Amino acid sequence: MPDQLLTIETIRLAAGNVRLRLTGELDYDSAPELIAAAAGLRGDDAPVLVDLTAVTLCDSSGLSALLVVHRAAGAIRLTGVSPQLQRMLDRTGLTELLAEAYAADDVRATTG
């Protein structure tokens, strides 16, 4: 079993924006890593962009971690949401709460 199933890259962008780029599995074992990464963002006023393009699995613990990030950082925007994750967000009623944004221009705007 690999030591790290999730990697999180924190990228500080222009205008105070922060992007968390997640790669791998966001689940029971790795959700605390996302929560820890978000804890360091407390006090930032700009929305946190959470890039889920390279997330291969997200379970209920991953959804819970996204909620914690939402509370810790204030506003978050999700990019790169897979169809499977989209269905989970819709079924749990989290789509609007997590302020989804996954249009191509959102991803382009966050690179850099």
Side-chain angles (χ1 to χ4, degrees):
M1 183 168 147
D3 289 337
Q4 191 172 24
L5 297 175
L6 180 72
T7 58
I8 302 168
E9 181 181 6
T10 303
I11 304 165
R12 300 243 177 224
L13 304 169
N17 288 331
V18 176
R19 178 173 60 179
L20 296 177
R21 183 183 301 159
L22 282 56
T23 303
E25 298 179 356
L26 180 55
D27 60 9
Y28 178 81
D29 293 323
S30 62
E33 296 173 42
L34 177 56
I35 293 168
L41 302 177
R42 291 181 197 277
D44 289 356
D45 292 331
V48 173
L49 307 172
V50 182
D51 184 352
L52 302 169
T53 304
V55 170
T56 57
L57 174 115
C58 181
D59 68 5
S60 60
S61 296
L63 290 179
S64 178
L66 289 172
L67 286 171
V68 171
V69 171
H70 174 72
R71 278 181 277 184
I76 67 170
R77 292 176 54 209
L78 304 179
T79 62
V81 177
S82 71
Q84 179 183 9
L85 180 54
Q86 178 63 57
R87 284 190 301 275
M88 285 179 62
L89 292 167
D90 290 343
R91 288 180 181 158
T92 57
L94 296 175
T95 300
E96 290 182 26
L97 177 65
L98 295 178
E100 271 187 89
Y102 45 87
D105 56 331
D106 287 334
V107 176
R108 237 188 346 268
T110 62
T111 58

